[in-house]
Amino acid sequence: MKLTLEEIARVVGAKNNLTELSKENIHQIEFDSRLIQQGDIFLPLKGARDGHEFIETAFQKGAIATFSEHEIPQAHFLVEDNLKAFQKLAAYYLEKMKVPVIAVTGSNGKTTTKDMIAAVLAQKFRTYKTQGNHNNEIGLPYTILHMPEDTEKLVLEMGMDHFGDIHFLSKLAQPSLALITLIGEAHLEFMGSRERIAEGKMGIIAGLHGELIAPADPIINPYIPENQKITRFGADEDIYITQLVEHKDYLTFNTNFLEKTLTIPAPGKFNATNAMLAAYVGTKFNISEKEIKEALAHVELTRNRTEWKKASNGADILSDVYNANPTAMKLILETFQSIPKNKKGRKLAILADMLELGETSPELHADIATVINFEKLDRLYLYGPLMENLYKKVSDNPAVAYFDKLESLTESIKSDLEPNDQLLVKGSNGMKLSSIIETLEKE
Ligand SMILES: N#Cc1c(NC(=O)c2cc(S(=O)(=O)N3CCOCC3)c(Cl)cc2Cl)sc2c1CCN(Cc1ccc(O)cc1)C2
């Protein structure tokens, strides 16, 4: 990436006197030490463990410097707060590279809409987009700092874990165009009320330099500034869908702003709306109807997003198949436990092995015990040889069961899950948990 050690030290205000700093460009900045390559900078973050514990490992893997909040023998940028320094560097880099940002937020569909917008823009521009669920205060700056040097358009997804997150991310990214896909159901976002969710998502205008594209939903109206350029979507609004025809695994639709019929390789009216938004963004960047149609017809959709799904018996399933690392597992478990239960419903969680965590893996699995709250969680299903380390710490609780086979786990959850329950499913892709979700979703 186009950043030198000397430049980084200056931008983040490193407090130590870094004498001989090379003016060579660094390779990348990583917070997961497993990803460190020769020439990288390590960013220790306070996740499930304090990242400072892994500085030595990072240098063994080729890191040439690290951020650090205290003096250490290795080459380091001494700063008050590693994450704040990282975020400041990302904002600087975005400004330096002068890459226009399209920002997307919303309760559902933001990942699909981000993917579709990127596919449309890629017809004309070198486009980079948020990978996986890197949409928060760590993931968004990570995305900015990982964009290829020749990027011409950057499509950033903005997630809201807590009220105010979107405002912060928008100030950091300074988008030239912003979209809100929809304002969801309060209880599944645990934001108190739909008004609160709307106010939080409207934080996206904090750093916005151009147009906002938002749903017709009047709940956002109190948060629209007088002079804000805004396009509303929905029936009889500024932009809308006409002639939607759903087929088994694709659909066609028209819009009030394009002549051609569009096709996307996925059913669901919500996907048509997401595609319409992407088509509209395409017209804002003078991409032809033909190119928009072509891009949407072959868009690759990110499967298995971290979103709520429904079991065939009506239970809510939160499947988070991203980032199988100790921090992500702790974060999603804390979030899941803090969401109010459905009326007359219970909270169940399936936690499976996190793979490739190195020699500290047994302790990292046992560590998850620190965030399990059996006053909130009614059932805990542990699956995989590494999760046996956690099982040994919590097995005296009758709510816990351990499984070493996917089949017996699937049978057990299938017979236990009740219509008003909420189920969390988290673990490495290699544990094939998606097969459990498919089983539960099947009629
Ligand atoms: N704690 C912790 C660890 C990791 N945490 C993270 O990568 C991490 C992930 C997340 S996240 O939740 O996955 N995420 C990041 C991107 O945006 C969306 C949210 C966050 Cl928010 C913060 C951190 Cl610090 S990665 C990792 C550990 C601890 C063990 N590490 C491997 C290792 C094992 C043994 C060694 O000797 C050295 C390294 C890998």
Side-chain angles (χ1 to χ4, degrees):
M1 61 196 294
K2 285 183 180 160
L3 275 178
T4 67
L5 288 175
E6 181 276 332
E7 195 176 6
I8 294 172
R10 177 168 39 81
V11 169
V12 303
K15 293 183 293 188
N16 52 338
N17 59 336
L18 296 144
T19 45
E20 271 317 293
L21 275 185
S22 92
K23 292 201 177 351
E24 288 288 301
N25 282 341
I26 63 161
H27 178 246
Q28 270 304 357
I29 301 177
E30 298 293 348
F31 54 80
D32 180 339
S33 52
R34 293 171 294 182
L35 302 177
I36 291 281
Q37 297 175 36
Q38 187 53 45
D40 281 358
I41 307 289
F42 180 50
L43 175 75
L45 291 177
K46 292 186 178 55
R49 289 288 182 86
D50 180 342
H52 289 89
E53 285 178 47
F54 303 106
I55 286 176
E56 194 39 50
T57 310
F59 277 86
Q60 287 163 4
K61 301 189 78 163
I64 53 170
T66 181
F67 286 86
S68 180
E69 295 170 2
H70 31 261
E71 284 287 0
I72 52 172
Q74 298 91 340
H76 65 287
F77 303 108
L78 181 62
V79 293
E80 287 284 316
D81 180 315
N82 290 350
L83 178 56
K84 287 194 170 68
F86 185 58
Q87 293 163 340
K88 194 171 177 187
L89 188 62
Y92 164 83
Y93 191 61
L94 194 52
E95 171 56 36
K96 174 184 175 182
M97 302 300 282
K98 305 233 175 311
V99 177
V101 167
I102 295 89
V104 186
T105 194
S107 302
N108 298 88
K110 54 184 179 291
T111 301
T112 302
T113 305
K114 171 263 298 181
D115 289 337
M116 292 176 167
I117 291 171
V120 169
L121 294 179
Q123 294 283 37
K124 196 172 177 181
F125 306 100
R126 279 187 289 277
T127 303
Y128 188 64
K129 67 178 182 180
T130 297
Q131 304 294 305
N133 70 338
H134 282 194
N135 62 16
N136 67 1
E137 59 176 0
I138 291 170
L140 182 132
Y142 183 87
T143 305
I144 291 170
L145 290 164
H146 278 244
M147 70 178 166
E149 292 181 9
D150 63 353
T151 302
E152 294 172 314
K153 293 282 182 272
L154 182 60
V155 187
L156 292 179
E157 185 180 318
M158 296 186 174
M160 183 162 76
D161 297 330
H162 305 94
F163 186 80
D165 288 358
I166 307 288
H167 184 280
F168 172 79
L169 297 174
S170 179
K171 294 293 274 182
L172 194 161
Q174 297 289 305
S176 53
L177 178 63
L179 295 93
I180 298 177
T181 56
L182 67 83
I183 306 298
E185 290 315 312
H187 80 282
L188 289 186
E189 293 200 48
F190 188 44
M191 202 66 70
S193 68
R194 259 174 49 84
E195 286 72 17
R196 193 89 169 129
I197 291 176
E199 188 180 3
K201 306 266 186 225
M202 285 299 283
I204 203 163
I205 57 179
L208 179 58
H209 294 275
E211 181 178 352
L212 173 66
I213 302 165
D217 192 337
I219 201 160
I220 64 169
N221 293 354
Y223 313 108
I224 304 170
E226 271 306 299
N227 57 350
Q228 175 60 50
K229 188 171 177 340
I230 184 163
T231 297
R232 306 297 285 265
F233 64 86
D236 304 329
E237 291 292 335
D238 301 320
I239 58 173
Y240 53 87
I241 286 172
T242 61
Q243 295 140 11
L244 171 69
V245 179
E246 289 202 62
H247 301 268
K248 185 174 167 304
D249 44 18
Y250 73 98
L251 63 80
T252 65
F253 66 95
N254 286 74
T255 67
N256 66 319
F257 56 89
L258 293 177
E259 297 303 321
K260 291 179 181 302
T261 298
L262 302 175
T263 303
I264 52 172
K269 183 176 182 328
F270 54 95
N271 273 324
T273 303
N274 298 334
M276 174 192 63
L277 296 177
Y280 182 68
V281 170
T283 64
K284 308 300 290 179
F285 288 93
N286 303 317
I287 294 173
S288 72
E289 275 206 47
K290 184 169 176 296
E291 289 171 314
I292 291 171
K293 183 178 172 72
E294 174 66 17
L296 292 175
H298 303 102
V299 64
E300 296 264 315
L301 293 183
T302 310
R303 281 189 50 66
N304 279 328
R305 300 172 297 282
T306 306
E307 278 186 338
W308 289 91
K309 299 171 187 269
K310 269 286 183 199
S312 54
N313 72 351
D316 292 308
I317 304 172
L318 179 59
S319 104
D320 175 12
V321 290
Y322 285 113
N323 315 112
N325 61 66
T327 316
M329 185 168 279
K330 284 192 170 185
L331 285 172
I332 194 78
L333 200 45
E334 285 167 338
T335 303
F336 180 68
Q337 288 174 155
S338 62
I339 292 169
K341 294 179 185 176
N342 295 336
K343 230 183 5 270
K344 295 204 230 65
R346 301 171 304 164
K347 263 184 200 296
L348 294 72
I350 297 174
L351 302 180
D353 284 7
M354 297 173 281
L355 306 176
E356 297 151 23
L357 282 182
E359 72 280 5
T360 59
S361 190
E363 292 85 357
L364 291 166
H365 281 76
D367 253 4
I368 300 294
T370 58
V371 299
I372 295 171
N373 177 347
F374 286 109
E375 279 162 31
K376 304 266 187 179
L377 208 52
D378 298 287
R379 283 271 186 293
L380 177 61
Y381 304 77
L382 299 174
Y383 166 50
L386 287 165
M387 273 300 169
E388 207 170 350
N389 295 287
L390 174 55
Y391 181 63
K392 282 177 190 146
K393 285 193 77 172
V394 297
S395 57
D396 55 350
N397 191 305
V400 187
Y402 174 74
F403 298 84
D404 57 5
K405 293 205 175 25
L406 186 62
E407 296 70 19
S408 50
L409 169 63
T410 306
E411 279 318 306
S412 183
I413 192 69
K414 214 171 136 195
S415 65
D416 289 356
L417 193 65
E418 291 167 10
N420 298 314
D421 287 348
Q422 293 170 352
L423 171 66
L424 167 68
V425 182
K426 177 78 185 172
S428 283
N429 285 338
M431 300 307 287
K432 308 230 180 306
L433 297 174
S434 46
S435 71
I436 296 179
I437 294 162
E438 280 152 26
T439 302
L440 294 174
E441 285 180 313
K442 223 179 292 171
E443 284 302 334

